[in-house]
Amino acid sequence: NNPLKISARLELTSPSLARQNNNDHFISFSFIYSAKMVSFILGTSLLLSSLLPHSSHAFAPSSTHRVVGSSGPIISPSSPSKISTTTTRHNMFTGIIEEMGEVISLETRDDMTLWDGSKGKGTEMVLKGDIVLDGAYLGCSISVNGVCLTATEIDEDAKTFKVGLAPETLRKTNLGTYVPESQQLVNMERASEIGGRNSGHFVQGHVDNVGTIMDQWIDENSLFFKIAFPYEFMRYVVPKGFIAIDGTSLTVCDVHSEGEDGENWFTFMLVEYTQKKIILPSKKVGDTVNVEVDVLGKYSEQAWEAFVPKMEALETKVKQLEARLQELEGGDSTASSTDKVNYGEPIGLSDVAAAATAPAPEQVKSDTEKWVRAEQTFINADDMRKDRKNTDGTEWVRTKQSFIDTQY
């Protein structure tokens, strides 16, 4: 009658024998076991269903990330019961603008509460959008004119959201000029999931600087723009390369760079469809745009800068070895006869500059006497016999010998 014995017996015997010997117990055990298994499977399924994201179109789903409250449509950090704690896997943008939004307010306050309870000064912007609020949640990232901003408050009924503008954001972008009175629209895009479809390029939402529209013209159905841009960033702008203008992924056409004191600009064009979906066509000569260069160019430059010193050190060492070899074989060397280099020690990266300007070794032979390696012989050929002994009678071992002239 012990359930443990019944369980063990059922595992060690065939099902038919178990039913014959323990019919009543088997039925009772099977029912209890089946009920527990069903409960476990259902519970596990419900748990996984609640934890796994049910994403659609690569954006934060309303069932998982949507912050919904029953007491009101406004979602803010002051109502923690309405804030979803589910993390997001959405980190970057594609540069494919989803809609043009409206700036409702731009306000600078000096009573903002910081992490330690103290008060600080900051700027907040309230924007109105429709598509970008589909799946929005507190803390989500929304690109506004190419600037990655964090939603700090959402009003579902009014379809508005609030973001904070840091001092660095105001210095590097043109968002501070978008006051409601200007009635300027802004480009908007939700953050996309890495690994999903990307019809543009990897846009971080980290604007490098603002550019100024120098000229614009029409080429059949294309609208061209010419943008003046600071020289320090022009090395990242290449013909037919990626660039983000007010958050829009575009292709560079022409590049012109004359240095810090000259003209530095690039051009791009908008096809007919794009002209109707973004804010750029509404801008005129003299207006500014937010520019983000391709981040892959920055990473490539950093990797190359780490590689170049090693190559330069290697080239310097090779040149020194070639010069030394020419001297030993009686050839002419580009180095001066009064220069000296220590060839017996390796040259590290810190010694590259010194080694490049170090003098060459002294000539071991006069100009009239050439040293040719193939013509050299030992003074006493018998010294190389196997039974050679040192002067003190000990065994002669080549690996223990040293040249009189260590510079040889």
Side-chain angles (χ1 to χ4, degrees), residues 240 312 368 405:
K240 301 302 179 284
E312 292 177 344
T368 58
D405 181 7

Side-chain angles (χ1 to χ4, degrees), residues 10 66 113 123 131 145 155 160 220 250 282 327 398:
L10 290 177
R66 189 68 165 174
T113 304
T123 303
I131 298 177
N145 265 17
D155 189 333
T160 61
E220 295 186 359
L250 297 170
S282 64
E327 294 170 3
R398 178 181 298 176

Side-chain angles (χ1 to χ4, degrees), residues 81-100:
S81 60
K82 305 170 188 176
I83 301 175
S84 171
T85 58
T86 306
T87 57
T88 175
R89 296 178 297 164
H90 311 83
N91 308 102
M92 300 184 72
F93 305 93
T94 66
I96 304 301
I97 304 303
E98 295 185 287
E99 67 175 320
M100 291 182 282

Side-chain angles (χ1 to χ4, degrees), residues 30 72 179 201 392:
S30 299
V179 293
H201 71 282
D392 60 355

